[in-house]
Amino acid sequence: MLGALELMRAGSILIRELEAYFASRDLSQLRFLTLILIDREPDRTSLTVGEIAERLDVSRPVVTRTMQSLEKAGLIAISANEDDARSKEVSLTRTGQSKLGEVLPGYFAILHRAMSGGEV
């Protein structure tokens, strides 16, 4: 039981650390995950809003609001899907790619510390 509580505490600390890190870089965990999801998609440079919602297991309205904030920040571009006019394609802008390049080293450093048993 004590081991489970320690694990839950460590997870909670890690989440707070990541949230603070993302906030200091004008992101949220959901905004970061959206950017990384699009960036790491093999053989494609964009995803539909529906694909993003499904892969992140987040409701469409939440994803739509997230897309609006990312687009307003210039991190993504939203365009009509060539095959389905009702669907929107989401891709990273150069600014979005640059933002990921800026954020990833610190993100990985936080995860590395947490995984190696160090203080987060």
Side-chain angles (χ1 to χ4, degrees):
M1 179 71 168
L2 188 57
L5 290 175
E6 289 172 351
L7 185 59
M8 288 174 58
R9 181 179 183 279
S12 178
I13 291 169
L14 176 59
I15 289 169
R16 284 195 311 264
E17 172 86 12
L18 287 170
E19 287 173 349
Y21 177 72
F22 293 138
S24 72
R25 280 140 185 90
D26 296 322
L27 289 175
S28 66
Q29 187 170 356
L30 182 57
R31 290 176 68 180
F32 170 76
L33 290 173
T34 301
L35 295 177
I36 199 79
L37 184 67
I38 297 165
D39 184 64
R40 301 300 160 102
E41 179 64 26
D43 304 322
R44 290 174 59 193
T45 58
S46 66
L47 291 171
T48 66
V49 173
E51 289 172 321
I52 293 168
E54 182 180 310
R55 291 178 188 180
L56 294 176
D57 194 26
V58 176
S59 72
R60 290 282 294 248
V62 170
V63 169
T64 298
R65 283 192 304 274
T66 302
M67 297 301 110
Q68 290 168 344
S69 72
L70 288 169
E71 185 178 38
K72 184 177 178 181
L75 302 176
I76 62 166
I78 300 174
S79 58
N81 182 317
E82 294 177 8
D83 300 324
D84 182 356
R86 298 168 297 161
S87 182
K88 302 289 184 196
E89 289 285 328
V90 182
S91 59
L92 292 183
T93 62
R94 286 182 193 238
T95 303
Q97 292 169 341
S98 178
K99 176 66 96 173
L100 267 181
E102 167 195 318
V103 171
L104 281 172
Y107 170 74
F108 287 129
I110 291 168
L111 292 183
H112 178 72
R113 279 194 314 271
M115 299 297 286
S116 63
E119 287 296 314
V120 184

